[in-house]
Amino acid sequence: MRRLLPVTDQTAAAPGTEHPGGAAREWSLDELAEAYAYPADTGSGGAWLRANMVSSLDGAAQHEGRSQPISTATDMRIFGTLRALADVVVVGAETVRLEGYRPARARDAFAGRRAAAGQGPAPAIAVVSASLELDFSLPLFTAPLVPTLVITGAGAPSDRLAAARQAGARVVIAGDANAVDPARAVRELAGLGFRRLLTEGGPRMLGQFVAAGVLDELCLTLSPVLTSGDAQRIVGGPGLAEPERFRLAGLLEEAGFLFARYRRI
Ligand SMILES: NC(=O)c1ccc[n+]([C@@H]2O[C@H](COP(=O)([O-])OP(=O)(O)OC[C@H]3O[C@@H](n4cnc5c(N)ncnc54)[C@H](OP(=O)(O)O)[C@@H]3O)[C@@H](O)[C@H]2O)c1
């Protein structure tokens, strides 16, 4: 992998070489963790929300219902690093259902870093759902290292709420009716001590967080494949009245995959 941006002494092309970013080499997990570190100051709201998404060249967020066909081993390495840096991973219920989500695991490679940052052994997973039509017998709810959170509205079905609690999930109410208010969800999570937030989508949930103006950062993998078809884009839902500008904060490259980091201006 090569770092293309920001340009540093180490990444600038050596005289006489054609390689901006220097020669490609495998990065250690420590180097990846440094490159993707959360800002020390998580902002006035107390929390920093970053999304990690992968897209094909033609904008598809999945192929045949899964993101794996447009991903790569290095993308999954970054995916794992981003998880290891997060306090909580916020994810939409449909992604949990389709991708068969499991609890996050503790990884030796990040144990020291997490301990030093005052974090538990693994991030919590927080599932955003209105219907609570989730299989609460799955290990995601019954056997996580840290309790899985279920973020829903005050009008969620009471029997499903009871099932979630009985399975061991921590219920967070972040909406007056069934729907979750994204800004309130971020506030509630910050209030519970979750400040380094990561969302892994999916597009419909992410679209609502974008529309609510609470997304601080987008880690976007651009995969060098075309898929055509009618797959969703990485962010879905109603269009914004005004396009929201982000600035490029970092860019890595490997084997034609671009790993970009954009921050809200
Ligand atoms: N390319 C990528 O990086 C990436 C990342 C993630 C997922 N994906 C792909 O995206 C697809 C799934 O994404 P999706 O957009 O269809 O679904 P999604 O965003 O994962 O989940 C949608 C569901 O989340 C819940 N939800 C969303 N917003 C809510 C709100 N404001 N209040 C309450 N509940 C809310 C609802 O759950 P209930 O129905 O339970 O009420 C809704 O049906 C899969 O094919 C997956 O492979 C791709």
Side-chain angles (χ1 to χ4, degrees), residues 80-116:
T81 303
L82 292 176
R83 278 194 165 197
L85 295 172
D87 297 340
V88 64
V89 178
V90 181
V91 62
E94 192 67 7
T95 295
V96 168
R97 291 187 284 253
L98 288 176
E99 302 264 2
Y101 259 54
R102 299 185 55 81
R105 58 195 176 94
R107 297 178 59 189
D108 290 347
F110 297 104
R113 188 177 289 274
R114 287 190 69 86

PDB file of all heavy atoms in Angstrom, residues 80-116:
ATOM      1  N   GLY A  80     -11.328  -3.692   9.747  1.00  0.00           N
ATOM      2  CA  GLY A  80     -11.029  -4.193  11.094  1.00  0.00           C
ATOM      3  C   GLY A  80     -10.326  -3.155  11.952  1.00  0.00           C
ATOM      4  O   GLY A  80     -10.584  -3.036  13.151  1.00  0.00           O
ATOM      5  N   THR A  81      -9.446  -2.377  11.322  1.00  0.00           N
ATOM      6  CA  THR A  81      -8.738  -1.334  12.072  1.00  0.00           C
ATOM      7  C   THR A  81      -9.708  -0.261  12.541  1.00  0.00           C
ATOM      8  O   THR A  81      -9.645   0.194  13.690  1.00  0.00           O
ATOM      9  CB  THR A  81      -7.640  -0.710  11.172  1.00  0.00           C
ATOM     10  OG1 THR A  81      -6.757  -1.735  10.734  1.00  0.00           O
ATOM     11  CG2 THR A  81      -6.873   0.366  11.915  1.00  0.00           C
ATOM     12  N   LEU A  82     -10.617   0.130  11.648  1.00  0.00           N
ATOM     13  CA  LEU A  82     -11.587   1.161  12.026  1.00  0.00           C
ATOM     14  C   LEU A  82     -12.458   0.687  13.181  1.00  0.00           C
ATOM     15  O   LEU A  82     -12.760   1.438  14.105  1.00  0.00           O
ATOM     16  CB  LEU A  82     -12.449   1.557  10.818  1.00  0.00           C
ATOM     17  CG  LEU A  82     -11.690   2.285   9.715  1.00  0.00           C
ATOM     18  CD1 LEU A  82     -12.592   2.542   8.511  1.00  0.00           C
ATOM     19  CD2 LEU A  82     -11.128   3.604  10.232  1.00  0.00           C
ATOM     20  N   ARG A  83     -12.838  -0.582  13.145  1.00  0.00           N
ATOM     21  CA  ARG A  83     -13.594  -1.144  14.271  1.00  0.00           C
ATOM     22  C   ARG A  83     -12.779  -1.075  15.560  1.00  0.00           C
ATOM     23  O   ARG A  83     -13.289  -0.746  16.616  1.00  0.00           O
ATOM     24  CB  ARG A  83     -13.930  -2.605  13.994  1.00  0.00           C
ATOM     25  CG  ARG A  83     -15.135  -2.768  13.139  1.00  0.00           C
ATOM     26  CD  ARG A  83     -15.595  -4.195  13.180  1.00  0.00           C
ATOM     27  NE  ARG A  83     -16.945  -4.244  12.651  1.00  0.00           N
ATOM     28  CZ  ARG A  83     -17.768  -5.251  12.822  1.00  0.00           C
ATOM     29  NH1 ARG A  83     -17.380  -6.314  13.481  1.00  0.00           N
ATOM     30  NH2 ARG A  83     -18.988  -5.216  12.331  1.00  0.00           N
ATOM     31  N   ALA A  84     -11.496  -1.430  15.425  1.00  0.00           N
ATOM     32  CA  ALA A  84     -10.648  -1.494  16.614  1.00  0.00           C
ATOM     33  C   ALA A  84     -10.423  -0.118  17.231  1.00  0.00           C
ATOM     34  O   ALA A  84     -10.054  -0.014  18.394  1.00  0.00           O
ATOM     35  CB  ALA A  84      -9.310  -2.137  16.263  1.00  0.00           C
ATOM     36  N   LEU A  85     -10.630   0.942  16.453  1.00  0.00           N
ATOM     37  CA  LEU A  85     -10.453   2.301  16.978  1.00  0.00           C
ATOM     38  C   LEU A  85     -11.744   2.852  17.574  1.00  0.00           C
ATOM     39  O   LEU A  85     -11.729   3.870  18.267  1.00  0.00           O
ATOM     40  CB  LEU A  85      -9.987   3.234  15.848  1.00  0.00           C
ATOM     41  CG  LEU A  85      -8.601   2.934  15.255  1.00  0.00           C
ATOM     42  CD1 LEU A  85      -8.350   3.801  14.031  1.00  0.00           C
ATOM     43  CD2 LEU A  85      -7.514   3.165  16.307  1.00  0.00           C
ATOM     44  N   ALA A  86     -12.862   2.192  17.305  1.00  0.00           N
ATOM     45  CA  ALA A  86     -14.171   2.755  17.658  1.00  0.00           C
ATOM     46  C   ALA A  86     -14.649   2.309  19.039  1.00  0.00           C
ATOM     47  O   ALA A  86     -14.301   1.230  19.518  1.00  0.00           O
ATOM     48  CB  ALA A  86     -15.197   2.344  16.605  1.00  0.00           C
ATOM     49  N   ASP A  87     -15.472   3.169  19.654  1.00  0.00           N
ATOM     50  CA  ASP A  87     -16.161   2.773  20.887  1.00  0.00           C
ATOM     51  C   ASP A  87     -17.393   1.950  20.547  1.00  0.00           C
ATOM     52  O   ASP A  87     -17.775   1.054  21.294  1.00  0.00           O
ATOM     53  CB  ASP A  87     -16.623   4.019  21.663  1.00  0.00           C
ATOM     54  CG  ASP A  87     -15.458   4.884  22.121  1.00  0.00           C
ATOM     55  OD1 ASP A  87     -14.328   4.375  22.198  1.00  0.00           O
ATOM     56  OD2 ASP A  87     -15.700   6.088  22.393  1.00  0.00           O
ATOM     57  N   VAL A  88     -18.037   2.310  19.430  1.00  0.00           N
ATOM     58  CA  VAL A  88     -19.286   1.637  19.057  1.00  0.00           C
ATOM     59  C   VAL A  88     -19.414   1.646  17.535  1.00  0.00           C
ATOM     60  O   VAL A  88     -18.964   2.590  16.873  1.00  0.00           O
ATOM     61  CB  VAL A  88     -20.493   2.331  19.738  1.00  0.00           C
ATOM     62  CG1 VAL A  88     -20.675   3.769  19.251  1.00  0.00           C
ATOM     63  CG2 VAL A  88     -21.795   1.555  19.514  1.00  0.00           C
ATOM     64  N   VAL A  89     -19.999   0.586  17.016  1.00  0.00           N
ATOM     65  CA  VAL A  89     -20.250   0.457  15.574  1.00  0.00           C
ATOM     66  C   VAL A  89     -21.767   0.517  15.370  1.00  0.00           C
ATOM     67  O   VAL A  89     -22.492  -0.368  15.825  1.00  0.00           O
ATOM     68  CB  VAL A  89     -19.699  -0.879  15.025  1.00  0.00           C
ATOM     69  CG1 VAL A  89     -20.013  -1.013  13.535  1.00  0.00           C
ATOM     70  CG2 VAL A  89     -18.210  -1.005  15.287  1.00  0.00           C
ATOM     71  N   VAL A  90     -22.215   1.566  14.704  1.00  0.00           N
ATOM     72  CA  VAL A  90     -23.654   1.768  14.491  1.00  0.00           C
ATOM     73  C   VAL A  90     -24.009   1.189  13.122  1.00  0.00           C
ATOM     74  O   VAL A  90     -23.364   1.514  12.121  1.00  0.00           O
ATOM     75  CB  VAL A  90     -23.998   3.275  14.529  1.00  0.00           C
ATOM     76  CG1 VAL A  90     -25.492   3.500  14.331  1.00  0.00           C
ATOM     77  CG2 VAL A  90     -23.520   3.894  15.843  1.00  0.00           C
ATOM     78  N   VAL A  91     -25.039   0.349  13.074  1.00  0.00           N
ATOM     79  CA  VAL A  91     -25.359  -0.310  11.805  1.00  0.00           C
ATOM     80  C   VAL A  91     -26.869  -0.463  11.655  1.00  0.00           C
ATOM     81  O   VAL A  91     -27.584  -0.680  12.630  1.00  0.00           O
ATOM     82  CB  VAL A  91     -24.597  -1.671  11.719  1.00  0.00           C
ATOM     83  CG1 VAL A  91     -25.021  -2.624  12.808  1.00  0.00           C
ATOM     84  CG2 VAL A  91     -24.750  -2.313  10.354  1.00  0.00           C
ATOM     85  N   GLY A  92     -27.338  -0.329  10.408  1.00  0.00           N
ATOM     86  CA  GLY A  92     -28.758  -0.469  10.121  1.00  0.00           C
ATOM     87  C   GLY A  92     -29.195  -1.925  10.204  1.00  0.00           C
ATOM     88  O   GLY A  92     -28.419  -2.849   9.911  1.00  0.00           O
ATOM     89  N   ALA A  93     -30.461  -2.126  10.568  1.00  0.00           N
ATOM     90  CA  ALA A  93     -30.967  -3.481  10.808  1.00  0.00           C
ATOM     91  C   ALA A  93     -30.903  -4.347   9.560  1.00  0.00           C
ATOM     92  O   ALA A  93     -30.652  -5.551   9.640  1.00  0.00           O
ATOM     93  CB  ALA A  93     -32.405  -3.408  11.326  1.00  0.00           C
ATOM     94  N   GLU A  94     -31.098  -3.761   8.379  1.00  0.00           N
ATOM     95  CA  GLU A  94     -31.092  -4.584   7.167  1.00  0.00           C
ATOM     96  C   GLU A  94     -29.691  -5.124   6.871  1.00  0.00           C
ATOM     97  O   GLU A  94     -29.543  -6.269   6.424  1.00  0.00           O
ATOM     98  CB  GLU A  94     -31.622  -3.772   5.975  1.00  0.00           C
ATOM     99  CG  GLU A  94     -31.917  -4.592   4.742  1.00  0.00           C
ATOM    100  CD  GLU A  94     -33.078  -5.572   4.913  1.00  0.00           C
ATOM    101  OE1 GLU A  94     -33.765  -5.549   5.958  1.00  0.00           O
ATOM    102  OE2 GLU A  94     -33.288  -6.387   3.999  1.00  0.00           O
ATOM    103  N   THR A  95     -28.690  -4.328   7.148  1.00  0.00           N
ATOM    104  CA  THR A  95     -27.308  -4.808   6.972  1.00  0.00           C
ATOM    105  C   THR A  95     -27.023  -5.939   7.963  1.00  0.00           C
ATOM    106  O   THR A  95     -26.401  -6.937   7.609  1.00  0.00           O
ATOM    107  CB  THR A  95     -26.314  -3.638   7.141  1.00  0.00           C
ATOM    108  OG1 THR A  95     -26.540  -2.713   6.072  1.00  0.00           O
ATOM    109  CG2 THR A  95     -24.874  -4.082   7.091  1.00  0.00           C
ATOM    110  N   VAL A  96     -27.502  -5.788   9.180  1.00  0.00           N
ATOM    111  CA  VAL A  96     -27.330  -6.858  10.175  1.00  0.00           C
ATOM    112  C   VAL A  96     -27.994  -8.143   9.671  1.00  0.00           C
ATOM    113  O   VAL A  96     -27.413  -9.234   9.747  1.00  0.00           O
ATOM    114  CB  VAL A  96     -27.946  -6.425  11.523  1.00  0.00           C
ATOM    115  CG1 VAL A  96     -28.054  -7.590  12.491  1.00  0.00           C
ATOM    116  CG2 VAL A  96     -27.113  -5.295  12.124  1.00  0.00           C
ATOM    117  N   ARG A  97     -29.205  -7.990   9.116  1.00  0.00           N
ATOM    118  CA  ARG A  97     -29.934  -9.179   8.646  1.00  0.00           C
ATOM    119  C   ARG A  97     -29.243  -9.804   7.422  1.00  0.00           C
ATOM    120  O   ARG A  97     -29.047 -11.017   7.362  1.00  0.00           O
ATOM    121  CB  ARG A  97     -31.392  -8.805   8.325  1.00  0.00           C
ATOM    122  CG  ARG A  97     -32.228  -8.461   9.575  1.00  0.00           C
ATOM    123  CD  ARG A  97     -33.709  -8.248   9.260  1.00  0.00           C
ATOM    124  NE  ARG A  97     -33.984  -6.977   8.632  1.00  0.00           N
ATOM    125  CZ  ARG A  97     -34.585  -5.936   9.245  1.00  0.00           C
ATOM    126  NH1 ARG A  97     -34.965  -6.040  10.512  1.00  0.00           N
ATOM    127  NH2 ARG A  97     -34.800  -4.826   8.592  1.00  0.00           N
ATOM    128  N   LEU A  98     -28.850  -8.953   6.454  1.00  0.00           N
ATOM    129  CA  LEU A  98     -28.312  -9.485   5.190  1.00  0.00           C
ATOM    130  C   LEU A  98     -26.874  -9.954   5.306  1.00  0.00           C
ATOM    131  O   LEU A  98     -26.464 -10.906   4.646  1.00  0.00           O
ATOM    132  CB  LEU A  98     -28.401  -8.422   4.083  1.00  0.00           C
ATOM    133  CG  LEU A  98     -29.798  -8.117   3.558  1.00  0.00           C
ATOM    134  CD1 LEU A  98     -29.745  -6.983   2.536  1.00  0.00           C
ATOM    135  CD2 LEU A  98     -30.419  -9.346   2.925  1.00  0.00           C
ATOM    136  N   GLU A  99     -26.097  -9.277   6.131  1.00  0.00           N
ATOM    137  CA  GLU A  99     -24.667  -9.609   6.205  1.00  0.00           C
ATOM    138  C   GLU A  99     -24.364 -10.533   7.393  1.00  0.00           C
ATOM    139  O   GLU A  99     -23.210 -10.860   7.648  1.00  0.00           O
ATOM    140  CB  GLU A  99     -23.821  -8.324   6.308  1.00  0.00           C
ATOM    141  CG  GLU A  99     -24.019  -7.350   5.147  1.00  0.00           C
ATOM    142  CD  GLU A  99     -22.957  -7.497   4.048  1.00  0.00           C
ATOM    143  OE1 GLU A  99     -22.089  -8.369   4.168  1.00  0.00           O
ATOM    144  OE2 GLU A  99     -23.032  -6.725   3.072  1.00  0.00           O
ATOM    145  N   GLY A 100     -25.402 -10.935   8.131  1.00  0.00           N
ATOM    146  CA  GLY A 100     -25.202 -11.884   9.232  1.00  0.00           C
ATOM    147  C   GLY A 100     -24.233 -11.368  10.275  1.00  0.00           C
ATOM    148  O   GLY A 100     -23.234 -12.028  10.592  1.00  0.00           O
ATOM    149  N   TYR A 101     -24.506 -10.188  10.825  1.00  0.00           N
ATOM    150  CA  TYR A 101     -23.569  -9.566  11.768  1.00  0.00           C
ATOM    151  C   TYR A 101     -23.333 -10.420  13.009  1.00  0.00           C
ATOM    152  O   TYR A 101     -24.254 -11.013  13.562  1.00  0.00           O
ATOM    153  CB  TYR A 101     -24.101  -8.188  12.181  1.00  0.00           C
ATOM    154  CG  TYR A 101     -23.406  -7.076  11.425  1.00  0.00           C
ATOM    155  CD1 TYR A 101     -23.362  -7.095  10.038  1.00  0.00           C
ATOM    156  CD2 TYR A 101     -22.784  -6.031  12.089  1.00  0.00           C
ATOM    157  CE1 TYR A 101     -22.714  -6.086   9.333  1.00  0.00           C
ATOM    158  CE2 TYR A 101     -22.144  -5.015  11.395  1.00  0.00           C
ATOM    159  CZ  TYR A 101     -22.110  -5.055  10.013  1.00  0.00           C
ATOM    160  OH  TYR A 101     -21.474  -4.066   9.323  1.00  0.00           O
ATOM    161  N   ARG A 102     -22.082 -10.418  13.424  1.00  0.00           N
ATOM    162  CA  ARG A 102     -21.674 -11.087  14.651  1.00  0.00           C
ATOM    163  C   ARG A 102     -21.079 -10.038  15.596  1.00  0.00           C
ATOM    164  O   ARG A 102     -20.780  -8.926  15.165  1.00  0.00           O
ATOM    165  CB  ARG A 102     -20.627 -12.168  14.349  1.00  0.00           C
ATOM    166  CG  ARG A 102     -21.152 -13.272  13.419  1.00  0.00           C
ATOM    167  CD  ARG A 102     -20.121 -14.365  13.246  1.00  0.00           C
ATOM    168  NE  ARG A 102     -19.683 -14.919  14.523  1.00  0.00           N
ATOM    169  CZ  ARG A 102     -20.352 -15.827  15.212  1.00  0.00           C
ATOM    170  NH1 ARG A 102     -21.493 -16.307  14.757  1.00  0.00           N
ATOM    171  NH2 ARG A 102     -19.882 -16.266  16.368  1.00  0.00           N
ATOM    172  N   PRO A 103     -20.877 -10.372  16.867  1.00  0.00           N
ATOM    173  CA  PRO A 103     -20.269  -9.382  17.778  1.00  0.00           C
ATOM    174  C   PRO A 103     -18.855  -9.043  17.332  1.00  0.00           C
ATOM    175  O   PRO A 103     -18.183  -9.874  16.722  1.00  0.00           O
ATOM    176  CB  PRO A 103     -20.233 -10.106  19.131  1.00  0.00           C
ATOM    177  CG  PRO A 103     -21.019 -11.346  18.980  1.00  0.00           C
ATOM    178  CD  PRO A 103     -21.160 -11.660  17.529  1.00  0.00           C
ATOM    179  N   ALA A 104     -18.390  -7.850  17.655  1.00  0.00           N
ATOM    180  CA  ALA A 104     -16.993  -7.502  17.387  1.00  0.00           C
ATOM    181  C   ALA A 104     -16.117  -8.314  18.337  1.00  0.00           C
ATOM    182  O   ALA A 104     -16.503  -8.588  19.478  1.00  0.00           O
ATOM    183  CB  ALA A 104     -16.779  -6.011  17.597  1.00  0.00           C
ATOM    184  N   ARG A 105     -14.921  -8.687  17.837  1.00  0.00           N
ATOM    185  CA  ARG A 105     -14.045  -9.491  18.686  1.00  0.00           C
ATOM    186  C   ARG A 105     -12.890  -8.645  19.224  1.00  0.00           C
ATOM    187  O   ARG A 105     -12.564  -7.598  18.655  1.00  0.00           O
ATOM    188  CB  ARG A 105     -13.533 -10.714  17.925  1.00  0.00           C
ATOM    189  CG  ARG A 105     -12.797 -10.382  16.668  1.00  0.00           C
ATOM    190  CD  ARG A 105     -12.627 -11.607  15.774  1.00  0.00           C
ATOM    191  NE  ARG A 105     -11.985 -11.226  14.523  1.00  0.00           N
ATOM    192  CZ  ARG A 105     -10.685 -11.282  14.305  1.00  0.00           C
ATOM    193  NH1 ARG A 105      -9.867 -11.704  15.251  1.00  0.00           N
ATOM    194  NH2 ARG A 105     -10.171 -10.906  13.148  1.00  0.00           N
ATOM    195  N   ALA A 106     -12.311  -9.126  20.312  1.00  0.00           N
ATOM    196  CA  ALA A 106     -11.118  -8.462  20.864  1.00  0.00           C
ATOM    197  C   ALA A 106      -9.923  -8.928  20.058  1.00  0.00           C
ATOM    198  O   ALA A 106      -9.808 -10.101  19.742  1.00  0.00           O
ATOM    199  CB  ALA A 106     -10.950  -8.852  22.325  1.00  0.00           C
ATOM    200  N   ARG A 107      -9.039  -8.006  19.713  1.00  0.00           N
ATOM    201  CA  ARG A 107      -7.869  -8.389  18.920  1.00  0.00           C
ATOM    202  C   ARG A 107      -6.595  -7.973  19.645  1.00  0.00           C
ATOM    203  O   ARG A 107      -6.439  -6.809  20.029  1.00  0.00           O
ATOM    204  CB  ARG A 107      -7.957  -7.724  17.541  1.00  0.00           C
ATOM    205  CG  ARG A 107      -9.181  -8.219  16.771  1.00  0.00           C
ATOM    206  CD  ARG A 107      -9.297  -7.546  15.446  1.00  0.00           C
ATOM    207  NE  ARG A 107      -8.122  -7.776  14.618  1.00  0.00           N
ATOM    208  CZ  ARG A 107      -7.899  -7.143  13.460  1.00  0.00           C
ATOM    209  NH1 ARG A 107      -8.770  -6.260  13.023  1.00  0.00           N
ATOM    210  NH2 ARG A 107      -6.822  -7.399  12.756  1.00  0.00           N
ATOM    211  N   ASP A 108      -5.708  -8.945  19.810  1.00  0.00           N
ATOM    212  CA  ASP A 108      -4.467  -8.701  20.548  1.00  0.00           C
ATOM    213  C   ASP A 108      -3.720  -7.490  19.995  1.00  0.00           C
ATOM    214  O   ASP A 108      -3.146  -6.706  20.749  1.00  0.00           O
ATOM    215  CB  ASP A 108      -3.544  -9.926  20.460  1.00  0.00           C
ATOM    216  CG  ASP A 108      -4.100 -11.104  21.256  1.00  0.00           C
ATOM    217  OD1 ASP A 108      -5.042 -10.866  22.048  1.00  0.00           O
ATOM    218  OD2 ASP A 108      -3.623 -12.231  21.054  1.00  0.00           O
ATOM    219  N   ALA A 109      -3.731  -7.367  18.661  1.00  0.00           N
ATOM    220  CA  ALA A 109      -2.949  -6.305  18.021  1.00  0.00           C
ATOM    221  C   ALA A 109      -3.378  -4.913  18.472  1.00  0.00           C
ATOM    222  O   ALA A 109      -2.596  -3.967  18.398  1.00  0.00           O
ATOM    223  CB  ALA A 109      -3.083  -6.407  16.501  1.00  0.00           C
ATOM    224  N   PHE A 110      -4.606  -4.781  18.939  1.00  0.00           N
ATOM    225  CA  PHE A 110      -5.111  -3.460  19.313  1.00  0.00           C
ATOM    226  C   PHE A 110      -5.350  -3.336  20.822  1.00  0.00           C
ATOM    227  O   PHE A 110      -5.826  -2.293  21.277  1.00  0.00           O
ATOM    228  CB  PHE A 110      -6.423  -3.169  18.566  1.00  0.00           C
ATOM    229  CG  PHE A 110      -6.251  -3.116  17.070  1.00  0.00           C
ATOM    230  CD1 PHE A 110      -6.673  -4.164  16.276  1.00  0.00           C
ATOM    231  CD2 PHE A 110      -5.655  -2.010  16.465  1.00  0.00           C
ATOM    232  CE1 PHE A 110      -6.513  -4.121  14.894  1.00  0.00           C
ATOM    233  CE2 PHE A 110      -5.491  -1.963  15.091  1.00  0.00           C
ATOM    234  CZ  PHE A 110      -5.918  -3.016  14.302  1.00  0.00           C
ATOM    235  N   ALA A 111      -5.046  -4.387  21.579  1.00  0.00           N
ATOM    236  CA  ALA A 111      -5.403  -4.396  23.004  1.00  0.00           C
ATOM    237  C   ALA A 111      -4.741  -3.242  23.758  1.00  0.00           C
ATOM    238  O   ALA A 111      -5.407  -2.533  24.527  1.00  0.00           O
ATOM    239  CB  ALA A 111      -5.025  -5.739  23.621  1.00  0.00           C
ATOM    240  N   GLY A 112      -3.440  -3.030  23.520  1.00  0.00           N
ATOM    241  CA  GLY A 112      -2.724  -1.977  24.241  1.00  0.00           C
ATOM    242  C   GLY A 112      -3.264  -0.611  23.891  1.00  0.00           C
ATOM    243  O   GLY A 112      -3.475   0.247  24.763  1.00  0.00           O
ATOM    244  N   ARG A 113      -3.507  -0.405  22.597  1.00  0.00           N
ATOM    245  CA  ARG A 113      -4.023   0.883  22.124  1.00  0.00           C
ATOM    246  C   ARG A 113      -5.402   1.163  22.733  1.00  0.00           C
ATOM    247  O   ARG A 113      -5.693   2.275  23.183  1.00  0.00           O
ATOM    248  CB  ARG A 113      -4.110   0.854  20.594  1.00  0.00           C
ATOM    249  CG  ARG A 113      -4.446   2.149  19.914  1.00  0.00           C
ATOM    250  CD  ARG A 113      -4.424   1.971  18.420  1.00  0.00           C
ATOM    251  NE  ARG A 113      -3.093   1.800  17.890  1.00  0.00           N
ATOM    252  CZ  ARG A 113      -2.292   2.817  17.563  1.00  0.00           C
ATOM    253  NH1 ARG A 113      -2.712   4.061  17.687  1.00  0.00           N
ATOM    254  NH2 ARG A 113      -1.086   2.600  17.094  1.00  0.00           N
ATOM    255  N   ARG A 114      -6.244   0.134  22.781  1.00  0.00           N
ATOM    256  CA  ARG A 114      -7.597   0.330  23.335  1.00  0.00           C
ATOM    257  C   ARG A 114      -7.513   0.625  24.835  1.00  0.00           C
ATOM    258  O   ARG A 114      -8.205   1.512  25.343  1.00  0.00           O
ATOM    259  CB  ARG A 114      -8.490  -0.886  23.066  1.00  0.00           C
ATOM    260  CG  ARG A 114      -8.924  -1.017  21.609  1.00  0.00           C
ATOM    261  CD  ARG A 114     -10.007  -2.089  21.439  1.00  0.00           C
ATOM    262  NE  ARG A 114     -11.281  -1.699  22.031  1.00  0.00           N
ATOM    263  CZ  ARG A 114     -12.221  -0.977  21.417  1.00  0.00           C
ATOM    264  NH1 ARG A 114     -12.049  -0.585  20.173  1.00  0.00           N
ATOM    265  NH2 ARG A 114     -13.338  -0.666  22.042  1.00  0.00           N
ATOM    266  N   ALA A 115      -6.683  -0.114  25.527  1.00  0.00           N
ATOM    267  CA  ALA A 115      -6.553   0.101  26.980  1.00  0.00           C
ATOM    268  C   ALA A 115      -6.064   1.527  27.244  1.00  0.00           C
ATOM    269  O   ALA A 115      -6.592   2.231  28.110  1.00  0.00           O
ATOM    270  CB  ALA A 115      -5.611  -0.934  27.586  1.00  0.00           C
ATOM    271  N   ALA A 116      -5.071   1.966  26.475  1.00  0.00           N
ATOM    272  CA  ALA A 116      -4.516   3.313  26.675  1.00  0.00           C
ATOM    273  C   ALA A 116      -5.559   4.391  26.383  1.00  0.00           C
ATOM    274  O   ALA A 116      -5.526   5.473  26.969  1.00  0.00           O
ATOM    275  CB  ALA A 116      -3.296   3.505  25.773  1.00  0.00           C
TER     276      ALA A 116
END
